[in-house]
Amino acid sequence: MELNQENGIKLLQRFVQCDSVQGNEAEVQRLVEEELHQLNMVVDRFIPGAETINHDAFCANRTDFSQSPNIVGVWKGKGGGRSLILNGHIDVVPPGNRNDWTEDPYSGVVKDGRLYGRGATDMKGGNTSMLLALQCLKDLGITLKGDVIFESVIEEESGGTGTLAAIKRGYKADAALIPEPTKMKIFPKQQGSMWFRITVTGRGAHGGTRYEGVSALEKTMLVLKAIQNLEQKRNVAITDPLYQTIPIPVPINVGKISGGEWPSSVPDQVVIEGRMGVIPGEELEHAKKEMMQAINNVDDPWLAQYPVKIEWFGARWLPGEVAKDHPLVSIISRRYEEITGESVVVEASPWGTDGGLLQEVGQTPSIVFGPGETSVAHFPNEYIEIKQMMLAAEIYVHILMEWCGFNE
């Protein structure tokens, strides 16, 4: 186990030391490809093409992926077992203000049982756990009956182009396991989300006679209140017990507000941008309709004459769900409890993942379960507990053996 941990630390450090932000994934994918070749897997390296870009689910802000390859490794089973996709994204969000980091964000430094760096928990640590599990099975000489498909995908942080491309490439399985940082909780459901942009129009005037104008900012306050009311309405209606510990199951977040050009002028336009959560099982179009109705129903004469403009832009994530008693959920639960001696927590995901694409477009039931914590993902000084990464690897070994079956 100590040797496996040492190898795992070294591998994760190499991954973290690659700055794999959008458009810069080639080097870390080369390392993944190298690792899969060492595992004697059949490796497929490919660039998302027209079949992906022209798909209805495509939503990226770019169409050139020449420096952003997907890497897929296939371990062909002997037959008679269930297949499993191991899907992990290799892209990371930017580090932000580097002065907020104690160490360089791409250092991979190890301190007090933690490995630090951008992507350590979201989600290169989970990817490393999966690779360690595959290496363990190979070292033990275990032959699985079902196929294992390891997918190292790009662009999850901005809408899922990599996973969509893998689906269009023809990769499908009886189920998928995604090692996002759930703190070893099981997420059989994941919300979707969409980005929106709302433009509110006013009428400009001199600040000294502001009563002659109409402040777009003041009208925006009415729109924001309508959004808050909609969020409350949508969430009160959610009674799913998997959401009982989550204060706001599917939030509507306003993340950006801009408007006005001069302190002494009445602002004639304000633009707000945000993210709308989509309930598992809900169609994106239904969520859009509810937003549009809430905005259009604001009781204000000016807004009735000059309606706000709403656009849906940028990234989006499809919601997804499988039954709480799905066979893979049962296997994960049992193996976790056998190995740790503790009861596993089953919840709904508070954020979107590529699981929605795998399930809704790829018809592959998807479960999210992995090491790391969302409370440090996207934050300065991101880290993963090495002990938890190794625990995940151990559990993945048993999941693969039971789900895929093996020759004794």
Side-chain angles (χ1 to χ4, degrees):
M1 178 59 73
E2 288 184 7
L3 178 60
N4 288 337
Q5 178 168 304
E6 183 180 341
N7 291 338
I9 291 171
K10 289 179 179 178
L11 182 59
L12 180 55
Q13 282 180 319
R14 293 175 71 200
F15 289 164
V16 168
Q17 287 163 0
C18 292
D19 173 7
S20 55
V21 295
Q22 186 184 78
N24 195 41
E25 304 95 337
E27 176 58 21
V28 71
Q29 290 289 57
R30 184 188 66 79
L31 297 179
V32 173
E33 184 176 12
E34 179 181 287
E35 192 68 20
L36 294 177
H37 278 302
Q38 291 180 3
L39 290 169
N40 293 318
M41 299 179 76
V42 177
V43 180
D44 183 15
R45 177 189 182 95
F46 60 97
I47 302 295
E51 69 287 343
T52 299
I53 296 169
N54 294 328
H55 194 277
D56 289 344
F58 177 77
C59 62
N61 60 3
R62 60 174 174 149
T63 56
D64 180 6
F65 299 96
S66 57
Q67 298 303 310
S68 305
N70 263 358
I71 303 294
V72 175
V74 177
W75 181 5
K76 197 70 176 173
K78 291 296 183 181
R82 293 174 291 197
S83 57
L84 186 66
I85 287 175
L86 304 176
N87 174 284
H89 70 84
I90 204 67
D91 58 308
V92 299
V93 297
N97 186 351
R98 295 192 179 221
N99 291 330
D100 292 336
W101 289 77
T102 303
E103 305 285 345
D104 185 277
Y106 301 108
S107 67
V109 67
V110 175
K111 288 183 179 179
D112 302 321
R114 297 172 172 175
L115 191 149
Y116 288 83
R118 176 57 83 227
T121 200
D122 187 18
M123 57 180 291
K124 293 175 178 177
N127 292 359
T128 300
S129 294
M130 293 194 301
L131 289 169
L132 288 173
L134 294 173
Q135 183 64 63
C136 179
L137 290 169
K138 293 278 188 176
D139 290 344
L140 292 173
I142 292 173
T143 303
L144 298 176
K145 293 181 179 180
D147 298 345
V148 178
I149 302 168
F150 179 92
E151 298 178 347
S152 181
V153 298
I154 63 163
E155 204 91 354
E156 187 275 346
E157 296 288 2
S158 50
T161 297
T163 291
L164 180 60
I167 293 169
K168 296 304 295 179
R169 190 80 165 178
Y171 292 108
K172 186 178 179 181
D174 293 313
L177 181 60
I178 304 175
E180 289 276 11
T182 69
K183 201 177 178 179
M184 307 299 282
K185 299 176 183 179
I186 300 173
F187 291 168
K189 296 188 178 185
Q190 52 234 273
Q191 65 170 274
S193 64
M194 302 177 289
W195 291 1
F196 61 84
R197 179 185 295 118
I198 296 174
T199 303
V200 183
T201 300
R203 182 169 62 206
H206 193 289
T209 55
R210 71 176 184 84
Y211 44 82
E212 295 179 349
V214 177
S215 171
L217 180 57
E218 292 179 8
K219 300 305 177 184
T220 297
M221 293 169 66
L222 300 176
V223 173
L224 292 173
K225 183 62 177 176
I227 291 174
Q228 290 176 332
N229 291 340
L230 175 62
E231 179 189 66
Q232 183 179 23
K233 174 186 174 184
R234 284 170 58 80
N235 283 276
V236 164
I238 297 174
T239 58
D240 190 327
L242 294 184
Y243 280 111
Q244 65 183 356
T245 62
I246 302 174
I248 308 176
V250 284
I252 304 176
N253 178 68
V254 173
K256 181 180 178 182
I257 302 178
S258 57
E261 295 181 325
W262 193 252
S264 291
S265 296
V266 175
D268 61 3
Q269 180 175 284
V270 170
V271 177
I272 64 177
E273 295 179 352
R275 168 202 183 277
M276 182 180 192
V278 182
I279 303 167
E282 181 181 29
E283 296 288 338
L284 299 186
E285 291 303 317
H286 179 267
K288 290 180 181 180
K289 183 178 179 180
E290 287 208 330
M291 173 70 87
M292 294 178 72
Q293 287 178 338
I295 299 302
N296 291 332
N297 288 342
V298 173
D299 186 13
D300 181 82
W302 176 266
L303 292 179
Q305 186 177 359
Y306 300 94
V308 301
K309 177 184 178 184
I310 183 165
E311 305 169 73
W312 301 94
F313 78 104
R316 65 177 179 267
W317 290 261
L318 294 176
E321 59 180 327
V322 299
K324 189 177 178 180
D325 60 354
H326 186 278
L328 183 55
V329 175
S330 301
I331 290 173
I332 298 171
S333 299
R334 183 171 59 257
R335 293 304 184 179
Y336 177 90
E337 293 171 3
E338 288 174 356
I339 292 170
T340 67
E342 302 173 356
S343 296
V344 72
V345 176
V346 182
E347 288 183 350
S349 170
W351 23 254
T353 75
D354 277 352
L357 278 170
L358 282 164
Q359 192 160 318
E360 299 302 317
V361 181
Q363 278 71 60
T364 299
S366 302
I367 313 296
V368 184
F369 170 74
E373 301 184 41
T374 57
S375 60
V376 299
H378 296 210
F379 281 73
N381 300 312
E382 179 181 347
Y383 67 84
I384 192 168
E385 299 280 354
I386 294 170
K387 183 178 180 180
Q388 194 174 102
M389 182 180 77
M390 298 306 299
L391 172 62
E394 182 179 357
I395 295 172
Y396 292 158
V397 168
H398 292 276
I399 292 170
L400 284 161
M401 291 172 65
E402 184 170 352
W403 178 262
C404 298
F406 66 100
N407 294 322
E408 300 186 40

